[in-house]
Amino acid sequence: MSDLPSSLLRPRRGGDFLAVLALTVLVFALYWPALDGGIIWDDPAHLTREGLRGWDGLRRIWFEFGATQEYYPVLHSAFWFEHRLWGDATTPYHVLNVVLHLANCVLLAVLLRRIWRLQPESAGKSGGAAPLPAGAEWLAAALLAVHPVAVESVAWITEQKNTLSTALYLLAAICYLDFSARRTRISAAGTLAGIDGGSELARSPESGPRASRGSVTSPMRSAQAPTLQANPRASAQSGGTPIGSRRWVSYILALGLFAAAVGTKTMTVTLPAALLVVQGWRHGRLEWGRDFRPLLPWFAVALAAGFVTVWFEGNWVGASEVADDLAWTHRALLAARILWFSLGKLIWPTNLTFFYPRWEVAVEAAGWVPYLVGGAAVTALLWWHRRRARGPLAAWLLYTGTLFPVLGFFNIFSFSFSYVADHYQYLAMPVFCATVAIGVTGALAPVPTLARRAAWIFLGLVVLGLGFLAHWQSRLYGNDTTLFRANIAANPRSWMAHHILGTLAAKSPDRREEAIALYRQALQLKPRNPDSLAALAALLAEEPGHRDEVIANFQEALRLRPNFAEAHNGLANELADLPGRLSEAIEHYRAALRLRPLFALARANLAQALARLPGHETEALGCFAEVLQVMPDYVPAHYHLANLLVTLPGRESEALAHYEYVLGRRPDSAETHTRLGDLLIRLGRKPEALAQYETALELNPRLAAVHYAMATHLVEIPSLAAEALEHARVAVSLEPDNVEAQNLLGVIHARQGRPDEARACWNRALQLKPDFGPALRNLQLLDRGGR
């Protein structure tokens, strides 16, 4: 592996340097519009959230299921480090994605050279590869660089899992082929030396390939010529390091890179199978010791990662609830449909869009039989043709095998809105681009010079044309509005695009009606859509007069998806405000937490509900402690915990600290200023309490309770009697049916020598509540004083 950095990753000729430079300029030019792009769709669910940004967050990324959107620890560790470098700025993420895409293009060229460099000299005669056509590797790199189907992976921050995992995948393949090549050299050296081909010993430098060709014509002749036998104790060295040692360094590095790729995106589990295809193409057959045995640890890693991802998708992401439970016959037909659809987009990249129409498999599958028959026929034809040329079969197997994880045999969350997506096939694109490039350049090799030059000019125009399409496509990734309006224009029946635009509109209070309309449109397109039902319910919950519809929508969402934790939480929020239904609400909170044990928001809501239920204070305190351990910065938990602590003897100081924390994060919370003022009154710190009340009224002058509290305490200060009277009048004007405020206003009038006004206030209080004792006693005192 020692020659990998120097001879493979470094351009070997001036032409290579110019090719890399041209690719760099080309890639940045066509992705320039996306560099200033913002956050798209579910980027916030993948980028490092606030609770994971500390060093403990890095531990949780690796060892805590549910800490991240998907269990891709290498990817989320990369996002973690990137956030520490540049925070919430989005441009560096986009630049890094473009750089990774550029690296993948160069690595593809390096990999092609490496593969052909390892081809046996007789390969072309036995159905293997002819020499790599001139320029094929850089044409393949250019096609990958400019292909419009790659834009979704490069311009979308979330899909760093594609660009990074592909880079690791290609590097792992290069390192493994280096290991394989060194293993072959050692085996050959062992044969020439008359030793076991699997030995770690190797030939000396002077008995290298050229010397052996000149002196030994066959292994048999070598065995008959003792004078040519290598010294068994001699170690062939290059730069002072034994070849056997270097090959194991290559192997370990390759396996590590593969594990890192799997930890970035599970789709890369196909690499060991792909390496077997490459080895079979190189040698014409597969051997257990040479080809299978070294890859056994790789298959173990792949199987473990596959099982974890399938389990995680089903139990945490929700794939088991949103994807159709299809029969295997339907899945086979769906796989063929996805395969040909994906290949068609690579061959003719038009009408690309973010969400493609979702097929109704049960209805349409009967019409997909030709796709399945066509796939089987192509496979059979290429298998029959393999003795003349193994390359086409290898390319077909590599492409279809790389796509296998997304062909519909396993449930994926995104299948709820489409079975196909451009980013699904980013990892398979190098195979397609290499196949096209090698086929075209190979066909041009025997063509006369003038015609070949004209053909290369045409190929250059094709690359520029694809680059123009990619440049236009990358402009859509500036923001959600641009991207998903374009999606609706291309696919008007995309319920998910309507849903996302609704979510975007819901963030602006002045666009609430637009958001509601978009959610309703999404539900018209897909009535059995629990996501839009729950989102619409959550939005309507903030509007008065919709409680019945809100509850009905949440209940329907749960009927369609019983394991919808967010809907349980939303329904519980509504029930908790209804008289006599707090216990039912608590059960829904508990259901949400059974489904998602780390659903901190539901646990916080449960804690708040328990705090209102007599006798459950201890359990509520435990819930709050769990929430703040997971989300120490979650302000609502601090606020409601403080409200609970206020009710517990001797814990007022703890409540005070939590209120102060809330105000440190949300100084414009009038309600918190009010609560803090009430607590300070209890602690005998009246001046500080009055200051909190004044701040609350500055933020919201229509807080009747605060005006009442101000009047209650100012009335005891003779110099502030006029101010107390004003606050009492405002409290009564805001809440005319508040008997306490009416009574207090009467007291202030009486103290200031206005008995008629006082009598009127107390009579009004008694009209509202005839048995209101304070008003009755005050009227009796007034009457006795009048006599």
Side-chain angles (χ1 to χ4, degrees):
M1 190 57 197
S2 61
D3 65 334
L4 181 60
S6 59
S7 66
L8 285 180
L9 298 182
R10 185 181 65 199
R12 296 182 299 174
R13 297 185 296 274
D16 291 345
F17 175 79
L18 292 176
V20 172
L21 181 62
L23 279 178
T24 303
V25 173
L26 184 62
V27 167
F28 273 93
L30 66 91
Y31 282 104
W32 190 262
L35 296 184
D36 288 332
I39 296 296
I40 298 296
W41 187 28
D42 65 345
D43 280 342
H46 290 83
L47 298 180
T48 308
R49 57 181 174 81
E50 189 170 350
L52 296 176
R53 292 173 183 174
W55 287 100
D56 185 64
L58 190 60
R59 177 195 63 79
R60 292 177 59 203
I61 285 170
W62 281 88
F63 301 109
E64 184 179 300
F65 279 134
T68 53
Q69 174 81 354
E70 297 169 297
Y71 185 67
Y72 291 154
V74 175
L75 171 70
H76 288 286
S77 296
F79 280 144
W80 186 91
F81 281 106
E82 290 159 24
H83 187 272
R84 294 186 76 87
L85 289 174
W86 53 71
D88 295 326
T90 57
T91 297
Y93 287 106
H94 289 294
V95 172
L96 178 58
N97 240 17
V98 173
V99 170
L100 287 170
H101 179 58
L102 174 64
N104 291 333
C105 299
V106 176
L107 287 171
L108 174 59
V110 171
L111 178 60
L112 291 177
R113 278 188 178 172
R114 165 59 66 173
I115 292 173
W116 261 264
R117 179 179 168 184
L118 300 178
Q119 273 299 101
E121 292 182 1
S122 60
K125 300 176 183 179
S126 60
L132 182 66
E137 71 272 40
W138 292 118
L139 178 58
L143 290 173
L144 178 60
V146 303
H147 204 291
V149 169
V151 172
E152 188 169 292
S153 295
V154 181
W156 182 12
I157 294 175
T158 290
E159 287 308 316
Q160 186 178 123
K161 56 188 172 185
N162 261 349
T163 54
L164 178 58
S165 65
T166 300
L168 295 168
Y169 180 101
L170 294 173
L171 281 170
I174 292 170
C175 292
Y176 183 83
L177 291 175
D178 184 78
F179 156 78
S180 179
R182 294 185 190 281
R183 191 169 186 272
T184 301
R185 291 177 201 165
I186 291 174
S187 179
T191 301
L192 290 174
I195 62 175
D196 180 15
S199 171
E200 293 292 329
L201 298 176
R203 63 182 184 279
S204 62
E206 59 269 19
S207 62
R210 294 181 182 177
S212 63
R213 286 194 209 104
S215 304
V216 182
T217 58
S218 71
M220 181 64 71
R221 181 175 176 179
S222 174
Q224 295 171 348
T227 58
L228 295 177
Q229 188 172 13
N231 183 354
R233 290 173 294 179
S235 63
Q237 297 186 4
S238 174
T241 305
I243 292 178
S245 299
R246 290 201 309 274
R247 77 185 180 95
W248 285 111
V249 170
S250 298
Y251 181 84
I252 294 170
L253 182 57
L255 182 57
L257 287 166
F258 170 62
V262 170
T264 306
K265 188 173 184 179
T266 313
M267 191 169 174
T268 56
V269 296
T270 57
L271 179 56
L275 290 171
L276 285 179
V277 172
V278 172
Q279 293 290 73
W281 169 65
R282 283 179 58 205
H283 300 291
R285 62 177 181 173
L286 293 174
E287 297 179 0
W288 171 255
R290 181 191 63 199
D291 302 314
F292 285 98
R293 189 165 56 194
L295 289 173
L296 290 179
W298 297 55
F299 280 108
V301 170
L303 286 172
F307 281 125
V308 169
T309 299
V310 169
W311 175 83
F312 195 88
E313 281 274 338
N315 292 278
W316 291 81
V317 182
S320 59
E321 285 102 46
V322 300
D324 294 334
D325 187 14
L326 302 174
W328 280 101
T329 52
H330 283 164
R331 289 188 185 275
L333 292 167
L334 176 62
R337 182 70 182 98
I338 293 173
L339 174 64
W340 288 109
F341 179 93
S342 302
L343 189 59
K345 289 298 178 183
L346 290 178
I347 295 172
W348 194 253
T350 58
N351 299 320
L352 303 180
T353 191
F354 197 85
F355 295 124
Y356 290 100
R358 186 180 189 273
W359 305 314
E360 294 295 332
V361 179
V363 176
E364 302 179 49
W368 297 342
V369 173
Y371 293 110
L372 185 60
V373 172
V378 168
T379 305
L381 179 63
L382 294 178
W383 179 263
W384 175 79
H385 189 66
R386 74 189 187 284
R387 294 191 180 277
R388 296 184 57 187
R390 297 192 296 270
L393 175 62
W396 176 253
L397 293 177
L398 285 172
Y399 180 75
T400 56
T402 305
L403 281 183
F404 179 78
V406 293
L407 289 182
F409 294 109
F410 309 103
N411 285 341
I412 301 173
F413 175 78
S414 54
F415 282 176
S416 64
F417 33 87
S418 181
Y419 287 106
V420 288
D422 289 346
H423 68 272
Y424 287 173
Q425 59 172 332
Y426 183 82
L427 187 63
M429 288 181 66
V431 177
F432 172 83
C433 295
T435 302
V436 171
I438 293 168
V440 169
T441 53
L444 291 177
V447 173
T449 302
L450 186 61
R452 187 164 61 250
R453 288 176 179 173
W456 273 104
I457 292 173
F458 175 75
L459 289 174
L461 293 175
V462 170
V463 168
L464 291 177
L466 290 172
F468 174 79
L469 293 176
H471 179 83
W472 184 89
Q473 195 77 5
S474 69
R475 292 186 303 109
L476 302 178
Y477 286 79
N479 54 67
D480 277 334
T481 302
T482 302
L483 179 62
F484 292 108
R485 283 181 177 169
N487 181 209
I488 290 175
N491 177 18
R493 297 194 59 78
S494 174
W495 70 265
M496 180 55 89
H498 286 88
H499 178 90
I500 293 170
L501 289 177
T503 303
L504 183 66
K507 295 177 181 179
S508 301
D510 57 342
R511 298 180 61 191
R512 191 177 301 275
E513 292 301 321
E514 178 187 353
I516 291 173
L518 285 163
Y519 284 139
R520 294 195 188 281
Q521 179 65 27
L523 287 168
Q524 287 181 10
L525 294 169
K526 186 180 179 182
R528 295 171 55 83
N529 171 7
D531 296 285
S532 297
L533 282 166
L536 177 60
L539 193 58
L540 292 175
E542 301 176 13
E543 298 283 338
H546 293 280
R547 175 159 287 166
D548 290 343
E549 183 180 2
V550 169
I551 292 176
N553 280 357
F554 276 132
Q555 290 174 335
E556 177 65 8
L558 287 172
R559 188 188 67 81
L560 294 169
R561 192 188 301 168
N563 294 336
F564 196 169
E566 288 80 3
H568 278 290
N569 181 64
L571 178 58
N573 289 340
E574 295 303 308
L575 297 176
D577 290 336
L578 294 177
R581 303 192 72 174
L582 183 59
S583 297
E584 187 180 349
I586 288 174
E587 288 307 310
H588 280 286
Y589 288 135
R590 295 190 192 280
L593 290 168
R594 283 195 298 271
L595 295 167
R596 284 181 52 193
L598 298 180
F599 192 173
L601 183 59
R603 192 168 298 280
N605 291 334
L606 173 61
Q608 296 168 35
L610 290 171
R612 295 168 50 193
L613 200 62
H616 289 74
E617 293 83 1
T618 301
E619 186 180 357
L621 289 172
C623 285
F624 279 124
E626 292 178 19
V627 171
L628 292 176
Q629 184 178 5
V630 176
M631 298 190 303
D633 301 326
Y634 185 53
V635 173
H638 285 278
Y639 175 76
H640 290 286
L641 175 57
N643 292 343
L644 174 59
L645 291 170
V646 164
T647 67
L648 302 178
R651 306 195 69 170
E652 291 86 353
S653 59
E654 295 177 57
L656 187 66
H658 285 287
Y659 281 137
E660 289 173 344
Y661 178 87
V662 173
L663 290 176
R665 303 298 297 272
R666 295 183 183 176
D668 58 346
S669 173
E671 186 175 2
T672 307
H673 282 287
T674 302
R675 295 273 190 168
L676 179 56
D678 293 341
L679 177 58
L680 290 169
I681 289 292
R682 289 179 54 183
L683 296 174
R685 296 159 61 176
K686 183 179 290 188
E688 297 173 62
L690 293 177
Q692 293 295 330
Y693 289 148
E694 288 174 354
T695 303
L697 290 175
E698 289 174 3
L699 294 168
N700 185 0
R702 297 187 59 80
L703 292 174
V706 180
H707 282 288
Y708 175 76
M710 287 288 287
T712 299
H713 299 292
L714 292 177
V715 75
E716 304 299 331
I717 306 173
S719 62
L720 298 176
E723 189 175 343
L725 176 63
E726 181 59 28
H727 280 293
R729 282 174 172 168
V730 174
V732 168
S733 67
L734 292 171
E735 291 185 356
D737 296 338
N738 188 330
V739 293
E740 287 85 357
Q742 290 283 359
N743 180 67
L744 177 61
L745 182 57
V747 170
I748 296 174
H749 280 306
R751 289 187 179 185
Q752 295 181 4
R754 292 186 292 274
D756 294 338
E757 288 86 341
R759 186 184 300 276
C761 290
W762 292 328
N763 284 329
R764 173 61 179 161
L766 290 172
Q767 289 175 3
L768 295 170
K769 190 175 181 181
D771 59 347
F772 185 57
L776 287 170
R777 288 193 296 271
N778 287 332
L779 280 173
Q780 291 171 0
L781 289 172
L782 181 61
D783 290 340
R784 286 200 296 267
R787 291 193 294 268

